[in-house]
Structure formats: C-alpha cells, structure tokens
Amino acid sequence: MHTIAQEGIYVGMLYDIAFMGGGVRGIAFCGAVAQLEKTGYLPRKLAGVSAGAIAAACFASGFTATELKKELLELDYSRFKKRDYVALGLISRFKNLRRDFGVYSADEFEKWLTILLLKKGVRTFADIKGGATGKCLQLTAADIQGKRLLVLPDDLKLFGIDANKFSVAKAVRMSMSIPLFYEPYILQAKNGKQYKIVDGGIFCNYPIWLLDDGCAKLDVPVFGAKLISDALPSDKDINIAKKFKLADYIKTVFASTLDATGHGYSRVVTGDSQRTINISVAVDGKNIISTDFDINKKSASALFNNGEHATKAFLRTWNFDRWKKMRS
C-alpha cells in the first residue's frame, strides 16, 4: 500500500468511500472522486444508496471521474420520468399508482445503466473486481413486505439468488426506486414468491457503516460523501407549493425525505464528522432537489464543481494518522 506523505495528505493511498442518496444530484459525487483522483487517492471498497448506488457501481466497475462526468453531463434526466403505458393527465397517474404503486417506470433507467456498465465489461456482480463476495461494492435497498433494509449483493441469498449471476444495474435500480415516484422493483425469489423492493434511503440514506462499524482497525481511510442543502427556499418555491398537483406532491414529499442529511443513520462512531465530505447542492442560491429531473447541463456541471471544491477543502486538513489517534 502506497502512503507517500505530502503536507498531511496521503498521495497514492487506497481509500473506501460511502455515498449517500441524492437523486439527480449524484454528479456531485463524481466531482468529489475527481478531486480524490487528482490528489492520488485510489478507491478500493465502495458503498452507496440511491444516487450514491449509481456512483458506487460506476466507480467499482472501473469508470474514472472524468469518464463518468462526460456520461452524466450528456444525460437527459427527463428520460427517467416515463410511464410504461400511455395515458393522459391526472387519471393516468392514479392508474399507475393503483396498478404499479408508482407514477413512473424505472425500466429506462435500468436500460441506460446496463449499457453504461457494459462499456467496462460489467453485467453481473461477478464482473466487479473482487466478485460478489469481495465486498468491493455494497448497495442498500428496502424490502417493503419484510420491513427490512437489504445489503446487496449479500442479502440476495435470502431470496435464493446467486449474487454472482445478478445484474448490477438491477441492484442499483432497486436501490434508487423512490417509493410512489417509481414503481417498486419486483424481485422474484427462488421459491416463486415476489417481493417489492424500493429505495434504501427510506431506512438509511448514509450507509457508511457498511465500510466501518466502529470496531475494526482501519488499514485505509473510510470517507463519507454527503449532500448538504444550505440555501433557503425562495419566495417563488413557497408560492409554487400552493399550486401542487399530484406528481408535484409526490416528488416533493420524497425529495424532502431523501434529501434529509443522514436520514435514518444512527450508527454514529467516533470521527464520523471529521471524515465526511459535505457537498453543497446549492446552485445560484437555490438548492437542487433530488427529484429535479429537469436539471440542465449548467446546473449539473455546477454540482460537479461543488463536489470538487468541497473535497479539495476537506483534503487540506485531512490526515489519516491524526484521525486514527483521535479515533483510538
């Protein structure tokens, strides 16, 4: 393991990282990793939920931050707000909710991610370096019927499924299926039963405990990347709230739930705040919310820059040896 010290920063050192959920704002995580790459850090184990699951899966598959930034800036996020049948207006939304328990289908998202990961030769967890059992990639999702948080790919065995043969894109889809906004993923167990799986962020939106439970001695730094809403709602946003339609209401309710910093995270251990990169989601004085699928390229680029700048500031004071002494 390389540990070339340079002004308190370890250059060429491996690290583990957990990404919180964040919807369309996940490009900010790409900016964070870009700065880590510039400093010489190399990712080893990655964990994430929802948008964090997308970032974790892409980096575990071998994408560099530069490569992923290009893909995300060219992405039309509105394509992920499609229904799987055509109908009109409010009636169609109620039909989707009654029939599929979600306004929109996530099929288009899964298709996009499948094609993207195939550029790095990754289809199943067996294709990830370290395989399904190496814990190089861990994602969370929520089993609604079982009322339990799932850690993927490990918990696929609960359903009689071979993790090595399971699609990474499907696992990410499970992790990012915002309840009511997206249809739940229907997981077919080996025994024939079907389970509805949704966004893991409803139980825990910051899964850093997957990488560090606070007990084991760490051989590499474990970082966490959080998204912080630090701008106040504008008068325009407050006035719009008076004109909500069903889709607006669903979008805002779940954006508020999933945007809550560290939602559901109770396993706080010594040193968590000192190893967490807090990234602002404010662009031009306004917070970008997780379900803003109309986000434009300019705002996406600004979020990337936010991730870069936050990580650069974080690394100025980060020192692994000093952190370990504080932790002990």
Side-chain angles (χ1 to χ4, degrees):
M1 181 173 63
H2 300 292
T3 56
I4 306 171
Q6 180 181 326
E7 297 181 358
I9 297 175
Y10 286 77
V11 181
M13 188 170 183
L14 297 175
Y15 72 97
D16 299 340
I17 189 166
F19 304 104
M20 76 174 285
V24 299
R25 307 171 303 179
I27 192 171
F29 298 138
C30 188
V33 173
Q35 187 59 45
L36 286 165
E37 288 177 354
K38 289 178 183 177
T39 314
Y41 280 93
L42 305 171
R44 185 185 65 167
K45 295 182 179 180
L46 302 104
V49 58
S50 197
I54 300 171
C58 288
F59 291 125
S61 298
F63 279 93
T64 66
T66 300
E67 291 172 331
L68 188 56
K69 177 186 179 182
K70 182 176 183 296
E71 296 286 348
L72 294 178
L73 286 181
E74 293 176 354
L75 181 61
D76 176 10
Y77 291 87
S78 65
R79 66 186 284 193
F80 301 146
K81 283 178 59 178
K82 290 187 177 180
R83 305 180 186 92
D84 50 13
Y85 71 97
V86 178
L88 299 174
L90 187 62
I91 293 175
S92 75
R93 295 189 177 102
F94 275 121
K95 282 184 177 180
N96 277 40
L97 283 171
R98 291 184 63 184
R99 189 191 73 158
D100 300 317
F101 303 101
V103 173
Y104 301 109
S105 167
D107 289 349
E108 188 68 19
F109 168 81
E110 183 183 335
K111 178 182 176 181
W112 168 77
L113 188 59
T114 297
I115 294 171
L116 181 64
L117 297 184
L118 280 174
K119 292 182 179 182
K120 295 296 181 181
V122 171
R123 183 183 294 276
T124 70
F125 278 96
D127 298 322
I128 298 288
K129 185 177 180 180
T133 59
K135 297 188 182 297
C136 293
L137 174 62
Q138 297 182 85
L139 315 174
T140 63
D143 171 11
I144 295 301
Q145 284 109 315
K147 300 181 179 65
R148 58 188 172 181
L149 182 71
L150 301 176
V151 178
L152 308 174
D154 285 5
D155 285 343
L156 288 169
K157 63 179 179 288
L158 299 175
F159 306 91
I161 296 173
D162 182 351
N164 279 303
K165 297 178 181 179
F166 197 80
S167 162
V168 175
K170 287 186 184 299
V172 175
R173 174 181 178 170
M174 290 159 67
S175 182
M176 55 70 67
S177 293
I178 303 171
L180 297 185
F181 191 81
Y182 279 127
E183 300 165 5
Y185 180 82
I186 306 302
L187 184 64
Q188 181 85 34
K190 192 174 182 180
N191 61 11
K193 293 183 179 180
Q194 293 185 335
Y195 296 82
K196 292 180 175 63
I197 313 297
V198 300
D199 195 314
I202 66 171
F203 288 151
C204 176
N205 206 27
Y206 185 50
I208 195 169
W209 50 271
L210 289 172
L211 303 174
D212 176 24
D213 61 4
C215 299
K217 286 189 175 182
L218 300 180
D219 58 340
V220 304
V222 175
F223 298 136
K226 280 186 177 183
L227 301 177
I228 305 298
S229 299
D230 54 6
L232 293 174
S234 66
D235 292 338
K236 181 181 177 182
D237 292 330
I238 295 171
N239 291 333
I240 287 175
K242 298 176 182 177
K243 307 173 185 178
F244 268 1
K245 297 179 182 178
L246 175 64
D248 299 322
Y249 176 76
I250 292 171
K251 181 172 74 171
T252 304
V253 166
F254 282 96
S256 299
T257 301
L258 299 178
D259 291 355
T261 302
H263 170 69
Y265 176 56
S266 59
R267 307 186 196 190
V268 178
V269 298
T270 302
D272 264 3
S273 61
Q274 290 83 357
R275 65 175 174 191
T276 298
I277 304 166
N278 294 306
I279 306 170
S280 171
V281 296
V283 174
D284 294 330
K286 178 181 177 181
N287 292 320
I288 303 295
I289 65 172
S290 60
T291 51
D292 185 4
F293 287 85
D294 296 321
I295 186 172
N296 57 36
K297 188 173 182 178
K298 179 183 176 182
S299 293
S301 183
L303 286 172
F304 177 91
N305 293 337
N306 286 358
E308 253 190 337
H309 295 156
T311 307
K312 187 175 183 178
F314 168 82
L315 289 174
R316 286 196 192 105
T317 59
W318 171 256
N319 182 289
F320 190 32
D321 287 337
R322 185 169 58 239
W323 184 88
K324 286 191 291 185
K325 289 178 182 178
M326 177 200 67
R327 171 73 170 270
S328 61

